[in-house]
Amino acid sequence: METTISAPHETEILDPRTDSPSVPADPVHISPVRLGPITVPTPVVLSPMAGVTNWPFRVLCEEYGPEGLYVAEMITARALVARNPKALRLCRFAPQERVRSLQLYGVNPSIVEQAARIVVDEHMADHVDLNFGCPVPKVTRRGGGSALPWKTDLFAEILRRVVKVCDAADIPVTAKIRVGIDHEHETFLEAGHIAQEEGCRAVTLHARTTAEYYGGHSDWSRIGELKSALDIPVFGNGDIWGAEDALAMIRQTGCDGVAIGRGCQGRPWLFANIRNAFEGRPERLNPNLGEVCDVIWRHAGLLTQFYDGDERMAVHDLRKHIAWYLKGFPVGGSTRKAFMECESLADVRREIDRLDPTVEYPERVIDKPRGRVRFAKKVHLPYGWLDSRVTTHEERETLFGDDPMDASY
């Protein structure tokens, strides 16, 4: 059996960018953030996103953006320990990536520690982030992701073990969290303090609960609460769709930096706009269709390298990105369908060449929400998960005997 929590009813939430008359219009002062031996000159983070932030997409974002952190998509600890080929592929970094940032996920402290040791021993990364923010049911129903900080003993043990391994190699560890399971079971303040006490160098807060999933507007005030409570840097995450959103979040919360997720899907140039905004410059990049197609074509080539020359795998990966790149452009359903049926680079080139490169970027989608915006129908948790803040012997046997995500992908 498992515990389920109903999601809240979706209600209209005031946008923090506009509902506060106290937001100043003066420039935002942004200071570099130091994570142990790593200095992040402009504290902007590409959030790890499953199926999105492999190295080809990270390279595109970093080429547009400032010297921030561009984090690889989540690596399942057990898969890495088992030397799963897909996990190992996802651990690859391009030579031009300035800081190799890798995110690990797991529930079993021993397995996550082993994965961290592999990262250290094989010099895989310069920075390790730990995922405690994933809200998807297949993760939370087994106690992982955003469900895990509820069990403070398990949360602290994973952090402690990974920090110990990584500290020996001078690799900073950070953590990604949510506000809590729901508003009756919030964990972010306690989790932030535990992360700080266990040696994490920074915390990123997605300002929603698990029950809120990606619905409504994230509550940026919680980021301000966490920033006020901690001494380590706090990065804010949630509903940054444009450069002005990034500025507004820092003004309102005092956070040390921002983490960008869905807002950059199909828009790697968002990082250029944020860089300009943080430098006090008014220029904003909104490319026309020809320029967007140049990005699509470059992305296709990078993905082909990522898949060791396998064009079919590269183009299949590219399909979701093309849907995001073309969002709002008046290209027609038949064109979108044709792109979704591409099987080779030649197919992609053919469809690109059929488009009118002079079409301007559609104003109606500039700095507007993208990606998943729905509420979760319910939160799935292990049976009895909310009965106690610490794990019982029986819970650990159940969780670790049948790891929440196996060694496959």
PDB file of all heavy atoms in Angstrom, residues 50 71 137 140 148 158 184 201 263 343 353 375 384 388 392:
ATOM      1  N   ALA A  50      15.421  15.996 -16.768  1.00  0.00           N
ATOM      2  CA  ALA A  50      15.520  14.668 -17.367  1.00  0.00           C
ATOM      3  C   ALA A  50      15.174  14.724 -18.854  1.00  0.00           C
ATOM      4  O   ALA A  50      14.163  15.307 -19.248  1.00  0.00           O
ATOM      5  CB  ALA A  50      14.596  13.701 -16.640  1.00  0.00           C
ATOM      6  N   VAL A  71      23.970  22.336 -15.320  1.00  0.00           N
ATOM      7  CA  VAL A  71      23.999  21.048 -14.627  1.00  0.00           C
ATOM      8  C   VAL A  71      23.447  19.924 -15.503  1.00  0.00           C
ATOM      9  O   VAL A  71      22.398  20.071 -16.140  1.00  0.00           O
ATOM     10  CB  VAL A  71      23.210  21.118 -13.311  1.00  0.00           C
ATOM     11  CG1 VAL A  71      23.392  19.837 -12.497  1.00  0.00           C
ATOM     12  CG2 VAL A  71      23.655  22.332 -12.483  1.00  0.00           C
ATOM     13  N   PRO A 137       5.477  10.835  -9.521  1.00  0.00           N
ATOM     14  CA  PRO A 137       5.005   9.736  -8.681  1.00  0.00           C
ATOM     15  C   PRO A 137       5.929   8.525  -8.633  1.00  0.00           C
ATOM     16  O   PRO A 137       6.070   7.898  -7.579  1.00  0.00           O
ATOM     17  CB  PRO A 137       3.650   9.384  -9.307  1.00  0.00           C
ATOM     18  CG  PRO A 137       3.169  10.670  -9.904  1.00  0.00           C
ATOM     19  CD  PRO A 137       4.416  11.324 -10.432  1.00  0.00           C
ATOM     20  N   THR A 140       8.479   9.613  -5.933  1.00  0.00           N
ATOM     21  CA  THR A 140       8.004   9.887  -4.571  1.00  0.00           C
ATOM     22  C   THR A 140       7.325   8.677  -3.938  1.00  0.00           C
ATOM     23  O   THR A 140       7.353   8.523  -2.720  1.00  0.00           O
ATOM     24  CB  THR A 140       7.035  11.081  -4.553  1.00  0.00           C
ATOM     25  OG1 THR A 140       5.898  10.795  -5.373  1.00  0.00           O
ATOM     26  CG2 THR A 140       7.727  12.339  -5.049  1.00  0.00           C
ATOM     27  N   LEU A 148      11.665  12.734   0.124  1.00  0.00           N
ATOM     28  CA  LEU A 148      12.718  12.246   1.018  1.00  0.00           C
ATOM     29  C   LEU A 148      13.037  13.179   2.187  1.00  0.00           C
ATOM     30  O   LEU A 148      13.252  12.685   3.306  1.00  0.00           O
ATOM     31  CB  LEU A 148      13.978  11.932   0.203  1.00  0.00           C
ATOM     32  CG  LEU A 148      15.006  11.060   0.915  1.00  0.00           C
ATOM     33  CD1 LEU A 148      15.720  10.149  -0.070  1.00  0.00           C
ATOM     34  CD2 LEU A 148      16.026  11.895   1.669  1.00  0.00           C
ATOM     35  N   ILE A 158      22.276  10.711   3.738  1.00  0.00           N
ATOM     36  CA  ILE A 158      22.721  10.795   2.341  1.00  0.00           C
ATOM     37  C   ILE A 158      23.659  11.976   2.161  1.00  0.00           C
ATOM     38  O   ILE A 158      24.743  11.845   1.561  1.00  0.00           O
ATOM     39  CB  ILE A 158      21.509  10.900   1.397  1.00  0.00           C
ATOM     40  CG1 ILE A 158      20.735   9.582   1.378  1.00  0.00           C
ATOM     41  CG2 ILE A 158      21.963  11.269  -0.022  1.00  0.00           C
ATOM     42  CD1 ILE A 158      19.436   9.640   0.596  1.00  0.00           C
ATOM     43  N   GLU A 184       0.742  21.231   4.560  1.00  0.00           N
ATOM     44  CA  GLU A 184       0.640  20.672   5.914  1.00  0.00           C
ATOM     45  C   GLU A 184       1.901  19.891   6.290  1.00  0.00           C
ATOM     46  O   GLU A 184       2.071  19.497   7.451  1.00  0.00           O
ATOM     47  CB  GLU A 184      -0.581  19.755   6.029  1.00  0.00           C
ATOM     48  CG  GLU A 184      -1.909  20.470   6.107  1.00  0.00           C
ATOM     49  CD  GLU A 184      -2.271  21.189   4.819  1.00  0.00           C
ATOM     50  OE1 GLU A 184      -2.235  20.531   3.759  1.00  0.00           O
ATOM     51  OE2 GLU A 184      -2.561  22.409   4.865  1.00  0.00           O
ATOM     52  N   ARG A 201      27.326  23.250   0.147  1.00  0.00           N
ATOM     53  CA  ARG A 201      27.825  24.601  -0.115  1.00  0.00           C
ATOM     54  C   ARG A 201      26.730  25.557  -0.571  1.00  0.00           C
ATOM     55  O   ARG A 201      26.940  26.763  -0.559  1.00  0.00           O
ATOM     56  CB  ARG A 201      28.931  24.544  -1.165  1.00  0.00           C
ATOM     57  CG  ARG A 201      30.104  23.637  -0.805  1.00  0.00           C
ATOM     58  CD  ARG A 201      30.770  24.028   0.507  1.00  0.00           C
ATOM     59  NE  ARG A 201      31.902  23.160   0.809  1.00  0.00           N
ATOM     60  CZ  ARG A 201      33.162  23.466   0.567  1.00  0.00           C
ATOM     61  NH1 ARG A 201      33.465  24.629   0.014  1.00  0.00           N
ATOM     62  NH2 ARG A 201      34.119  22.609   0.875  1.00  0.00           N
ATOM     63  N   GLY A 263      11.815  27.358 -18.449  1.00  0.00           N
ATOM     64  CA  GLY A 263      11.847  28.605 -19.205  1.00  0.00           C
ATOM     65  C   GLY A 263      12.809  28.602 -20.376  1.00  0.00           C
ATOM     66  O   GLY A 263      12.641  29.366 -21.326  1.00  0.00           O
ATOM     67  N   GLU A 343      13.964  11.168 -39.425  1.00  0.00           N
ATOM     68  CA  GLU A 343      14.777  10.038 -38.981  1.00  0.00           C
ATOM     69  C   GLU A 343      16.266  10.259 -39.203  1.00  0.00           C
ATOM     70  O   GLU A 343      17.081   9.450 -38.773  1.00  0.00           O
ATOM     71  CB  GLU A 343      14.354   8.759 -39.722  1.00  0.00           C
ATOM     72  CG  GLU A 343      12.924   8.305 -39.455  1.00  0.00           C
ATOM     73  CD  GLU A 343      12.770   7.688 -38.062  1.00  0.00           C
ATOM     74  OE1 GLU A 343      13.793   7.265 -37.489  1.00  0.00           O
ATOM     75  OE2 GLU A 343      11.624   7.619 -37.555  1.00  0.00           O
ATOM     76  N   ASP A 353      14.707  23.853 -44.504  1.00  0.00           N
ATOM     77  CA  ASP A 353      14.805  24.628 -45.741  1.00  0.00           C
ATOM     78  C   ASP A 353      13.439  25.011 -46.304  1.00  0.00           C
ATOM     79  O   ASP A 353      13.354  25.888 -47.173  1.00  0.00           O
ATOM     80  CB  ASP A 353      15.606  23.850 -46.784  1.00  0.00           C
ATOM     81  CG  ASP A 353      17.089  23.766 -46.431  1.00  0.00           C
ATOM     82  OD1 ASP A 353      17.539  24.569 -45.583  1.00  0.00           O
ATOM     83  OD2 ASP A 353      17.786  22.881 -46.970  1.00  0.00           O
ATOM     84  N   PHE A 375      -1.170  20.640 -12.241  1.00  0.00           N
ATOM     85  CA  PHE A 375      -1.059  20.148 -10.875  1.00  0.00           C
ATOM     86  C   PHE A 375      -0.981  18.629 -10.909  1.00  0.00           C
ATOM     87  O   PHE A 375      -1.544  17.986 -11.796  1.00  0.00           O
ATOM     88  CB  PHE A 375      -2.289  20.538 -10.053  1.00  0.00           C
ATOM     89  CG  PHE A 375      -2.227  21.924  -9.479  1.00  0.00           C
ATOM     90  CD1 PHE A 375      -2.676  23.011 -10.200  1.00  0.00           C
ATOM     91  CD2 PHE A 375      -1.718  22.131  -8.216  1.00  0.00           C
ATOM     92  CE1 PHE A 375      -2.639  24.288  -9.681  1.00  0.00           C
ATOM     93  CE2 PHE A 375      -1.671  23.417  -7.674  1.00  0.00           C
ATOM     94  CZ  PHE A 375      -2.127  24.489  -8.403  1.00  0.00           C
ATOM     95  N   GLY A 384       2.351   4.789   5.082  1.00  0.00           N
ATOM     96  CA  GLY A 384       2.734   5.241   6.411  1.00  0.00           C
ATOM     97  C   GLY A 384       3.875   6.237   6.449  1.00  0.00           C
ATOM     98  O   GLY A 384       4.396   6.542   7.526  1.00  0.00           O
ATOM     99  N   SER A 388       5.889   9.385  10.733  1.00  0.00           N
ATOM    100  CA  SER A 388       7.050   9.749  11.540  1.00  0.00           C
ATOM    101  C   SER A 388       8.049  10.500  10.681  1.00  0.00           C
ATOM    102  O   SER A 388       8.115  10.302   9.461  1.00  0.00           O
ATOM    103  CB  SER A 388       7.713   8.486  12.115  1.00  0.00           C
ATOM    104  OG  SER A 388       8.967   8.794  12.689  1.00  0.00           O
ATOM    105  N   THR A 392      11.808   3.908   9.971  1.00  0.00           N
ATOM    106  CA  THR A 392      11.884   2.721  10.819  1.00  0.00           C
ATOM    107  C   THR A 392      12.761   1.676  10.145  1.00  0.00           C
ATOM    108  O   THR A 392      13.085   1.782   8.947  1.00  0.00           O
ATOM    109  CB  THR A 392      10.493   2.114  11.035  1.00  0.00           C
ATOM    110  OG1 THR A 392       9.991   1.654   9.758  1.00  0.00           O
ATOM    111  CG2 THR A 392       9.531   3.148  11.618  1.00  0.00           C
TER     112      THR A 392
END
